[in-house]
Amino acid sequence: MSAAHHKPRTIVVAIDNSKFAEWAFNFAISIMNIETDKIVLLGVAERLNTAVYGPAFTSGHYLETAQQNIEFQTKSTLIPFGRRCKDMGLKNYSMIMTTSNHAGESIVSYCSEVHADMVVLGRRGIGAVKRVFVGSTSKHVVEHSPCHVVVVKGPEEKHDDEIKHEHTVHTIDNDAEMPTAPVAAAKEK
């Protein structure tokens, strides 16, 4: 399909400091039309929650400095991806940082605001301990997103070998007739 006939899409890519974000970025680039699609690199800086960190760490100066460090890290993560977009000759890309208590909600909200056509994110990105308390970002986005969601599983991830499901694959001929319902076997006396 030529660029002249392609409806421009807005593709949001959730970026964090993980290999999963790298895989999501690479996937988004591989499916986009470089001439017409817009790619938005979205980083979510976690907003510090004073209830979690307790009164010993909630002095105004400490929290302000810690929040600035989180935002610095988020921007520092986004910029190399933006440079890669520029180096690839992408015509329409942007880097956006949001600040939120919940990354999944922030991603969904942003996609709604910009009428995104698709959001691409890695299957994981935060540690297992945090995931227990706040839930899976990708799960939240899949369940609440206003647009298509692609959750990218990286090449290094393997299926859980401890769970074995037996299955058989049957190929059905393209010209096959509709089957007749099976007849119950007659009981022998």
Side-chain angles (χ1 to χ4, degrees), residues 133-146:
F133 294 108
V134 300
S136 165
T137 298
S138 57
K139 182 177 188 293
H140 183 87
V141 173
V142 166
E143 291 177 357
H144 300 283
S145 178

Side-chain angles (χ1 to χ4, degrees), residues 147-189:
C147 60
H148 297 294
V149 179
V150 177
V151 179
V152 178
K153 183 177 179 180
E156 296 173 4
E157 293 185 88
K158 295 189 168 109
H159 180 68
D160 187 353
D161 290 333
E162 293 179 18
I163 301 173
K164 299 281 187 199
H165 298 283
E166 194 172 313
H167 75 279
T168 305
V169 176
H170 301 272
T171 302
I172 300 172
D173 186 60
N174 291 346
D175 298 319
E177 297 290 327
M178 285 296 292
T180 56
V183 178
K187 291 185 179 180
E188 292 186 30
K189 292 186 179 183

Side-chain angles (χ1 to χ4, degrees), residues 10-18 20-21 24 40-47 74 78 96-126 130 134-152:
T10 299
I11 302 171
V12 174
V13 184
I15 300 292
D16 63 12
N17 195 15
S18 72
F20 301 96
V40 179
L41 307 172
L42 178 63
V44 180
E46 178 185 6
R47 183 177 293 129
T74 302
L78 284 169
I96 302 293
M97 181 184 74
T98 63
T99 305
S100 174
N101 293 330
H102 191 283
E105 288 177 9
S106 189
I107 293 166
V108 167
S109 178
Y110 183 79
C111 287
S112 247
E113 289 172 23
V114 300
H115 306 289
D117 297 288
M118 178 187 306
V119 59
V120 181
L121 66 160
R123 193 168 76 83
R124 297 186 186 190
I126 59 175
K130 186 172 180 185
V134 300
S136 165
T137 298
S138 57
K139 182 177 188 293
H140 183 87
V141 173
V142 166
E143 291 177 357
H144 300 283
S145 178
C147 60
H148 297 294
V149 179
V150 177
V151 179
V152 178

Side-chain angles (χ1 to χ4, degrees), residues 76-88:
S76 297
T77 300
L78 284 169
I79 289 171
F81 285 97
R83 287 188 178 141
R84 287 174 56 191
C85 288
K86 184 177 182 179
D87 292 345
M88 286 183 230

